[in-house]
Amino acid sequence: MNILILGDVMGPSGVKAIKEKLPTLIKDKKIDFVVINGENAADGGVGITKKNTEDFFNAGADVITSGNHIWDEKETMKFISEEKRLLRPENSISPAPGEGYGIFKSKNNKKVAVVNLMGNVFMKKS
């Protein structure tokens, strides 16, 4: 199984690159599963919006992970509970909306477990 993990896609230029390049990369490299860290995808370079998540999924991402900036766009609190493919850190403070892990299906119908954990050294849990 070919798994592609993309770290810290940032701001409008990062989102544009994903939208333009990811579909071809998936096809050319026969990628079965794509994980994107999208916590800095919003226009200001921190947080993620519903539109960002839709853009990533439409481009071929299977799961979006995050970190300490997951809540920087307040709208995320409204949709993260419904969008199971957008993961918050499992080890963030409780209770927090959304999930920190899940089991997902790959493009070739295999099960893939993804756990989103955040380093805590010098990090504020929010």
Side-chain angles (χ1 to χ4, degrees):
M1 180 178 313
N2 288 328
I3 299 174
L4 175 65
I5 301 172
L6 299 170
D8 228 351
V9 174
M10 189 168 178
S13 60
V15 173
K16 180 181 179 199
I18 294 297
K19 289 166 55 176
E20 291 177 358
K21 306 291 184 184
L22 185 58
T24 302
L25 187 62
I26 290 169
K27 182 180 175 193
D28 290 351
K29 300 295 183 182
K30 298 179 176 78
I31 305 294
D32 300 308
F33 195 80
V34 178
V35 179
I36 293 178
N37 180 280
E39 68 164 325
N40 293 315
D43 287 350
V46 291
I48 188 167
T49 65
K50 186 167 179 65
K51 174 131 179 36
N52 298 143
T53 62
E54 291 167 353
D55 287 343
F56 290 161
F57 293 137
N58 289 337
D62 296 293
V63 174
I64 301 170
T65 60
S66 64
N68 65 311
H69 290 294
I70 186 63
W71 311 120
D72 286 359
E73 289 289 331
K74 298 305 175 203
E75 72 178 76
T76 307
M77 293 286 259
K78 296 176 187 168
F79 72 88
I80 194 168
S81 293
E82 289 94 43
E83 182 49 77
K84 302 299 184 196
R85 299 171 295 167
L86 173 59
L87 300 178
R88 59 147 169 88
E90 174 62 22
N91 58 335
S92 59
I93 59 172
S94 286
E99 300 293 332
Y101 62 91
I103 298 175
F104 307 93
K105 290 240 176 146
S106 69
K107 292 167 183 48
N108 62 354
N109 218 25
K110 306 264 182 176
K111 289 182 180 179
V112 179
V114 179
V115 179
N116 189 116
L117 297 172
M118 176 175 64
N120 288 315
V121 176
F122 306 114
M123 299 296 283
K124 176 178 80 171
K125 286 187 181 181
S126 54

